[in-house]
Amino acid sequence: MNFLYPSFLFGLLAVSVPIAIHLFNFRRTRRVFFTNVALLRTVQTETKSFRRLKHWLILVARCLFLICLVLAFAQPFIPSKNKLGLSRQGVTSLYLDNSYSMQNERNTKRYLDIATGRLDELLTLFRNATSLQLLTNDFSTAEQQTGSAESVRDRVTSVRFAHTPRTLETVYRRQRNLLASLNPGGRNQLFWFSDFQKSTVGDLSRLTIDTTDRVFIVPLDAQATKNVYVDSVWLSTPFIREQQNNSLNVKLNNGGRENVKNLPVRLYLDDAQTSTASATLLPGGSATVSLNFNVTKKGYHRGRIVFEDFPITFDNQYFFVIEASPAVRVLHLFEQKSGAPGRPTDYVDAVYSNDSLFVRRSFNAQNFDVGQLKETDLVVLEGVTQVNGALRTELERFVQQGGSLTIIPPTNPDMASYKPFLNTLGVGNAQSTVSAAGANPSSLPIADPDRSNPFFRDVFQQSYQSEPLNMPSAAPVWRWSAGERLLSLRDGNPMLTRSRTGQGSVYILANPLASTYGNLAEHALFVPVMYKMAALSIRAQRTAYSFEDNLITIPVSNPSERAVYKLKHDKLEIIPVQRTVGNQLLIEMPKSNELSAGQAVEAGYYELQLDGKTERLLAFNHGNKESVMDFYSADELRRAFANQPNVEVFDSIQDGDFVQVLEQENLGRSLWKYFLLAALAFLLIEVGLVRFMKG
């Protein structure tokens, strides 16, 4: 038998007090004289013997009462057979998983509530301990200190769900930091209450527990029920326009193991429901639904995808932002304009000046500010004989960073400068078709385009999809072999191609726009082709961002090196770690434990502000790792830690005798209750002896 608090055994010295009182009775006896004492001698002898027995019994009862009372305070126990059992004298760290996946339910009771109930029962084993730590996914400053069982119990009642899942490796490292500072080298115990979701706990094979620590894993035996979440949202077209029908695609995933049939999915724009659809998802499957909408004004619009899916509800809403009618910025750089000699015709400017969607600027290629490329989506390079120097360098950088470049050749291109330029852009084998005498090349008809090509989507009316077209003719001044064929000549040579270079696109036309080189610029096909090149130059809108992204890239206009951008959401205002590269702003969203007390990053809409002015509207959502309903069972956890004997895995937190089993296996059988009852029994015996034993 061992004692939890052996220092109380010094209280056994109190047994000497009743013994001393019994042995040293200092009361004086008074003599009484009688005439005949024969009878009295007989009675006195019998009473003295009875009284002596009574006093001895009272002494024994008092001594046993004191002994049992002292032993009860020393809390004796029979040691467990487990040599790595619990130690109430070390530091005890309790991890309570409060991630959103703990919203799952069993018998109408949430996993978090079940875990807190079992943790509260566990605290009864440490009622007198003062070195207890409660750790949650919040990783707050208050969790880096120890307290009593009562203080931990008070904190447990205030635990709320946190959006930041933590790997077990991160949790253990956090616990070890505290244990190393409070009890270096001593025996400590750690408890993990969690559903042990596979997508968030991390790689268990890399988790090595220190030999001085004892880890008790308490799984919830979570079940993989149904759960639907939004994987991604994107527009069917690169941009949207007001007063027109637009389409939004939503990909849904089923992270559970139950079928989901006819789930209503609703689209909200600016807090008004605009469209609805239904989705059916197999276990572990996905489905994509299209939602049509119409906007009445330009600018940013706040969107939400909403559906009802129980019991996991944290991912039933997805925030996104769309911008209606973003301006397409076109920069026209020329040297030789199209048209008849002496009467140039600016076909390019004529195309883009008829629609307010385009913002066009026109400059001579040898006399413009290269800094304007930062605020450009499409560059039309027309009739430039030579491309070299700063012009070539800046155009190459522009395409690499995601810009679109359309090259309309001059009447006699300088292939010595164009070849290396085109090679850098991924276009090889460029050759001039202009004869040395300078005669115009012969004109050739253009072949019918492939109308199934996405480039020509919405260009031809449905009724003309199968009818032959009256195509224009063109006289090419060069030939090349690269890129996607958009238009071809009847002889098989390219007329218009698109090549992907870096993050951008390069369009190459075979002939100048002058009428002597064909009638393409005057044909009905020319305008939609130029519109398409401009429309596709718009980067696909990033409708939403995730807090899990380590680095977020946001396009900004004309950024300054010293500019400091802020993110504002309701009353929250933060300045994230940021840097500017070209016209891209790179920011790192802070984690919840990096914010000030009382602050938290929540899913919703954030304003990107510069000097108090809103530059962009952004939507942020929490990651979808916790949406995948796949959990480790107790057997899987036992196999993962099979080589670490200081790790104990319980079968299920649902067991009603969880605390009793833990106490018997790791603390032994506690005996203080029995000694306390024995002390009360001996006290009652003493009272009975004094009151009822007369003589």
Side-chain angles (χ1 to χ4, degrees):
M1 183 173 67
N2 293 337
F3 298 92
L4 187 61
Y5 301 105
S7 59
F8 280 99
L9 294 178
F10 286 106
L12 292 175
L13 297 176
V15 178
S16 61
V17 175
I19 294 176
I21 294 175
H22 180 79
L23 295 178
F24 302 99
N25 190 348
F26 298 106
R27 292 183 300 168
R28 294 182 179 182
T29 58
R30 185 175 58 181
R31 292 185 179 185
V32 180
F33 295 94
F34 293 90
T35 57
N36 187 356
V37 295
L39 179 61
L40 292 176
R41 283 198 185 98
T42 304
V43 175
Q44 184 180 7
T45 301
E46 293 176 1
T47 303
K48 189 174 182 179
S49 238
F50 186 80
R51 184 181 296 114
R52 185 179 292 113
L53 175 62
K54 175 182 177 180
H55 288 175
W56 278 108
L57 291 176
I58 291 175
L59 175 63
V60 171
R62 287 176 178 173
C63 291
L64 291 176
F65 163 72
L66 291 174
I67 291 173
C68 291
L69 186 63
V70 171
L71 292 177
F73 276 97
Q75 294 196 26
F77 64 94
I78 299 175
S80 65
K81 298 179 181 179
N82 194 338
K83 296 181 179 180
L84 295 173
L86 283 173
S87 171
R88 288 190 177 98
Q89 305 301 318
V91 179
T92 302
S93 182
L94 310 167
Y95 167 62
L96 177 61
D97 182 6
N98 61 332
S99 60
Y100 277 132
S101 64
M102 297 284 281
Q103 287 182 346
N104 212 338
E105 293 182 355
R106 171 174 290 223
N107 298 327
T108 69
K109 195 172 184 180
R110 295 185 307 182
Y111 285 171
L112 182 62
D113 297 331
I114 297 174
T116 53
R118 291 295 183 261
L119 194 151
D120 185 75
E121 294 176 11
L122 177 65
L123 291 176
T124 60
L125 300 180
F126 300 92
R127 63 179 60 85
N128 297 318
T130 58
S131 298
L132 297 173
Q133 179 205 21
L134 176 64
L135 182 68
T136 66
N137 289 347
D138 297 326
F139 278 18
S140 63
T141 305
E143 297 176 348
Q144 282 297 95
Q145 52 188 321
T146 58
S148 63
E150 285 303 317
S151 64
V152 171
R153 185 175 282 110
D154 291 340
R155 287 194 52 223
V156 167
T157 59
S158 62
V159 171
R160 297 294 181 266
F161 290 105
H163 68 81
T164 306
R166 307 288 183 180
T167 64
L168 290 183
E169 185 178 8
T170 304
V171 169
Y172 181 62
R173 190 184 308 117
R174 186 84 170 183
Q175 291 176 309
R176 281 298 305 168
N177 289 340
L178 180 70
L179 300 177
S181 61
L182 295 180
N183 191 25
R187 290 182 60 192
N188 306 294
Q189 47 271 332
L190 300 86
F191 288 85
W192 293 345
F193 294 84
S194 173
D195 57 3
F196 295 97
Q197 191 175 24
K198 291 184 178 181
S199 58
T200 59
V201 298
D203 187 0
L204 298 183
S205 63
R206 298 177 51 188
L207 183 56
T208 303
I209 306 301
D210 193 279
T211 54
T212 60
D213 296 331
R214 182 75 193 278
V215 176
F216 297 89
I217 295 180
V218 190
L220 283 92
D221 191 23
Q223 302 299 318
T225 59
K226 68 176 182 179
N227 182 48
V228 178
Y229 62 94
V230 176
D231 177 82
S232 55
V233 171
W234 71 95
L235 292 167
S236 299
T237 55
F239 61 91
I240 59 177
R241 304 188 67 175
E242 70 275 13
Q243 305 297 344
Q244 292 186 6
N245 291 328
N246 301 281
S247 178
L248 184 78
N249 300 303
V250 181
K251 183 180 179 181
L252 301 169
N253 288 347
N254 183 2
R257 297 181 181 176
E258 295 182 10
N259 286 323
V260 177
K261 295 183 179 180
N262 300 323
L263 176 70
V265 181
R266 301 189 300 273
L267 168 63
Y268 286 84
L269 280 179
D270 300 323
D271 294 326
Q273 182 175 338
T274 61
S275 183
T276 184
S278 62
T280 298
L281 300 98
L282 297 175
S286 61
T288 301
V289 297
S290 295
L291 297 163
N292 298 322
F293 66 94
N294 192 307
V295 294
T296 59
K297 59 181 180 179
K298 298 181 180 180
Y300 293 104
H301 295 269
R302 302 171 183 239
R304 284 184 297 140
I305 302 297
V306 181
F307 49 86
E308 301 296 333
D309 176 45
F310 294 99
I312 308 297
T313 60
F314 76 92
D315 51 7
N316 288 2
Q317 188 168 233
Y318 187 88
F319 298 91
F320 65 94
V321 172
I322 56 176
E323 183 182 4
S325 298
V328 182
R329 300 165 297 182
V330 179
L331 180 62
H332 181 204
L333 302 179
F334 63 88
E335 182 179 318
Q336 300 175 6
K337 285 190 176 182
S338 54
R343 292 185 293 107
T345 302
D346 200 335
Y347 291 111
V348 174
D349 282 358
V351 168
Y352 296 124
S353 62
N354 290 328
D355 197 322
S356 60
L357 177 64
F358 304 106
V359 176
R360 60 180 179 82
R361 291 163 296 167
S362 185
F363 299 96
N364 188 290
Q366 308 303 326
N367 186 22
F368 85 104
D369 182 7
V370 294
Q372 297 186 58
L373 292 175
K374 295 181 179 180
E375 301 179 6
T376 301
D377 299 306
L378 171 67
V379 173
V380 180
L381 190 69
E382 180 185 8
V384 178
T385 306
Q386 296 181 342
V387 181
N388 47 33
L391 176 63
R392 171 185 169 182
T393 303
E394 294 300 327
L395 288 178
E396 291 173 353
R397 181 183 294 113
F398 169 76
V399 174
Q400 290 290 335
Q401 294 179 353
S404 294
L405 173 64
T406 298
I407 301 177
I408 302 174
T411 56
N412 191 8
D414 181 6
M415 300 309 298
S417 68
Y418 266 104
K419 273 190 176 182
F421 175 57
L422 295 177
N423 283 333
T424 304
L425 298 178
V427 181
N429 298 324
Q431 297 177 354
S432 175
T433 60
V434 179
S435 64
N440 292 339
S442 57
S443 182
L444 298 172
I446 299 176
D448 283 4
D450 180 7
R451 304 180 201 189
S452 63
N453 191 314
F455 182 85
F456 292 103
R457 184 182 302 161
D458 302 328
V459 170
F460 303 103
Q461 295 183 8
Q462 191 68 28
S463 58
Y464 291 95
Q465 285 293 333
S466 59
E467 295 185 6
L469 299 176
N470 180 19
M471 297 296 292
S473 60
V477 297
W478 57 13
R479 291 190 176 92
W480 65 98
S481 59
E484 175 192 2
R485 292 279 186 97
L486 301 179
L487 291 174
S488 300
L489 297 170
R490 291 283 179 85
D491 63 356
N493 286 308
M495 174 62 190
L496 175 65
T497 63
R498 176 174 58 187
S499 301
R500 304 289 186 181
T501 302
Q503 300 179 16
S505 299
V506 178
Y507 299 90
I508 300 182
L509 198 63
N511 66 304
L513 298 182
S515 57
T516 54
Y517 290 86
N519 62 341
L520 174 63
E522 298 173 350
H523 194 273
L525 184 63
F526 180 67
V527 172
V529 166
M530 297 300 290
Y531 269 31
K532 271 292 186 175
M533 287 190 287
L536 294 176
S537 68
I538 295 291
R539 284 77 162 178
Q541 290 190 29
R542 180 75 180 267
T543 58
Y545 299 87
S546 172
F547 288 118
E548 288 188 355
D549 296 335
N550 294 326
L551 195 64
I552 296 173
T553 302
I554 303 172
V556 291
S557 300
N558 197 21
S560 171
E561 294 182 359
R562 297 184 179 180
V564 178
Y565 290 88
K566 299 180 181 180
L567 285 174
K568 185 177 181 181
H569 172 70
D570 293 336
K571 296 181 179 180
L572 176 66
E573 187 174 295
I574 56 178
I575 302 178
V577 178
Q578 58 189 272
R579 69 179 186 274
T580 304
V581 178
N583 59 346
Q584 303 291 323
L585 174 65
L586 308 180
I587 64 174
E588 300 177 20
M589 289 296 292
K591 305 301 180 184
S592 57
N593 60 306
E594 298 173 349
L595 298 174
S596 304
Q599 291 184 329
V601 286
E602 299 178 351
Y605 310 105
Y606 286 72
E607 296 179 5
L608 182 67
Q609 295 185 342
L610 178 62
D611 298 330
K613 180 183 177 183
T614 301
E615 298 288 326
R616 294 183 68 90
L617 185 64
L618 309 173
F620 282 89
N621 296 280
H622 298 301
N624 52 27
K625 287 184 179 180
E626 290 187 88
S627 299
V628 182
M629 298 291 103
D630 196 8
F631 310 92
Y632 282 107
S633 65
D635 291 336
E636 289 175 321
L637 291 171
R638 213 172 270 116
R639 288 193 294 269
F641 294 99
N643 298 325
Q644 302 188 57
N646 54 333
V647 177
E648 182 175 347
V649 181
F650 286 85
D651 285 329
S652 174
I653 199 174
Q654 310 295 331
D655 297 338
D657 57 350
F658 158 68
V659 176
Q660 289 77 6
V661 171
L662 175 69
E663 183 177 16
Q664 292 178 12
E665 292 183 357
N666 298 280
L667 285 174
R669 179 177 291 276
S670 180
L671 303 176
W672 67 272
K673 295 179 182 178
Y674 303 106
F675 281 99
L676 183 60
L677 293 174
L680 294 175
F682 286 122
L683 181 62
L684 292 174
I685 290 174
E686 179 186 352
V687 173
L689 290 172
V690 172
R691 184 170 182 177
F692 299 108
M693 196 172 183
K694 305 292 184 180

